[in-house]
Amino acid sequence: MEFLFFNSQNSTRFEQSKIFTETTNGGTLIMLYRIRPFGDSITAGYGFGFGCKPQPHDPHPISCWPPNEVGGGYRAFLAGNTPNKLPMLMVGGRHDNSAMWMWQVGQQNHDGYASHTMAQLMPYARQSRPSEVILLHVGTNDILTGSNGAQAADALRELLITLLMTNSTTRILVAQIIPEFKYGKEAEILDYNSRVPGIVDLFKPWGRDLRVVDMHPGMTSQDYMDGLHPNFAGYEKMASRWRAAINTLPELAQAAIPGEGVGHIGMAS
């Protein structure tokens, strides 16, 4: 598959199988990095899809399926013309809960699987999807289905092993997850979050780039649609924290492009 970058000066083709680096006629360096959002319904962006009309077999009225005018969660803020915009291409095996404009510019893909625990995410972790960065926000459903912090941390370790072995060069940004205000599991989430840095440190001998991103502070009940899934404001906060973490990756930070005049990414024939 190819993607076409459009701007006012020229159009340049990129292949999805490599890091995207090209120079326009005007001399502007364009670099598009493959970002793989990986996790559960928070990664899919539930809570941000107001007004969606689900298919009859779909029990989730906010799943934006088929593509809708709104949706995408934090992914929309990273892909859209916002202060958190990134020069990137979203990759993944799903495309539900993505706004129509995300489809139009080729940014609808993700690996967010609603209600999945980390064990249930394993089959998707075993699927190699070339990317420069994985954004990993997992653990909520493990806690909600009875795991304590230590058990969820063990599951995180196993998931990271699989992701690293399947994706030999990608970096992984590992979230200390957002709070929940619905089921009374905040103590377990805090326990899990306290263990995430230690799990990440276990992989230092592997020589791979894993970094912790603390998503928890500053999220209030006002940032949620239902006490579990963020709303517009909550996902904007998440995007800001992902962007700050990506700024610690030198070559990705240097690729930042002003939103105005960048153009759009679209599928090429």
Side-chain angles (χ1 to χ4, degrees):
M1 181 182 296
E2 289 184 320
F3 287 80
L4 193 61
F5 186 94
F6 299 97
N7 69 13
S8 59
Q9 294 177 314
N10 76 340
S11 59
T12 304
R13 290 181 184 271
F14 302 96
E15 295 180 3
Q16 195 177 12
S17 60
K18 61 183 179 183
I19 295 179
F20 313 105
T21 305
E22 194 59 65
T23 303
T24 70
N25 290 340
T28 301
L29 184 66
I30 299 172
M31 292 184 287
L32 300 179
Y33 291 92
R34 296 161 297 187
I35 306 285
R36 184 184 183 186
F38 194 99
D40 50 34
S41 57
I42 294 170
T43 295
Y46 283 28
F48 188 20
F50 301 112
C52 297
K53 297 180 180 179
Q55 297 291 338
H57 64 273
D58 187 346
H60 302 291
I62 55 172
S63 61
C64 279
W65 173 262
N68 199 273
E69 292 293 335
V70 290
Y74 74 72
R75 300 179 290 110
F77 289 99
L78 294 179
N81 194 14
T82 75
N84 292 309
K85 181 183 177 73
L86 288 173
M88 66 175 190
L89 178 68
M90 295 278 190
V91 300
R94 294 182 68 92
H95 44 248
D96 55 321
N97 206 51
S98 296
M100 185 172 292
W101 68 263
M102 297 177 75
W103 288 70
Q104 292 169 340
V105 298
Q107 299 284 29
Q108 73 275 15
N109 296 313
H110 63 89
D111 272 312
Y113 299 87
S115 303
H116 280 47
T117 65
M118 285 181 270
Q120 292 170 322
L121 288 170
M122 278 293 196
Y124 310 107
R126 295 188 186 103
Q127 298 173 3
S128 178
R129 300 193 191 282
S131 62
E132 279 61 66
V133 183
I134 293 173
L135 307 181
L136 186 67
H137 188 284
V138 293
T140 303
N141 290 313
D142 293 76
I143 297 297
L144 295 183
T145 55
S147 293
N148 59 34
Q151 291 167 330
D154 286 343
L156 175 63
R157 183 188 68 243
E158 296 302 312
L159 183 64
L160 285 171
I161 289 172
T162 302
L163 285 168
L164 289 169
M165 293 182 68
T166 308
N167 303 274
S168 60
T169 60
T170 191
R171 296 175 170 90
I172 304 181
L173 300 181
V174 185
Q176 291 170 297
I177 62 178
I178 62 173
E180 68 90 13
F181 296 92
K182 188 174 184 178
Y183 296 108
K185 296 286 188 176
E186 183 61 5
E188 289 85 350
I189 286 177
L190 289 171
D191 184 22
Y192 168 70
N193 280 346
S194 72
R195 298 171 187 271
V196 169
I199 295 297
V200 168
D201 284 346
L202 293 175
F203 294 93
K204 286 182 178 178
W206 290 44
R208 300 288 297 277
D209 194 349
L210 282 75
R211 307 187 186 201
V212 177
V213 182
D214 194 353
M215 290 282 176
H216 193 278
M219 297 286 286
T220 73
S221 60
Q222 299 303 306
D223 296 319
Y224 285 72
M225 182 274 295
D226 58 1
L228 184 62
H229 303 95
N231 56 21
F232 185 97
Y235 280 122
E236 187 173 25
K237 288 182 178 181
M238 292 187 71
S240 179
R241 288 167 190 172
W242 284 131
R243 186 65 179 91
I246 290 169
N247 275 338
T248 69
L249 307 176
E251 62 272 34
L252 270 72
Q254 292 168 9
I257 308 174
E260 185 176 357
V262 169
H264 299 289
I265 302 169
M267 291 186 66
S269 59

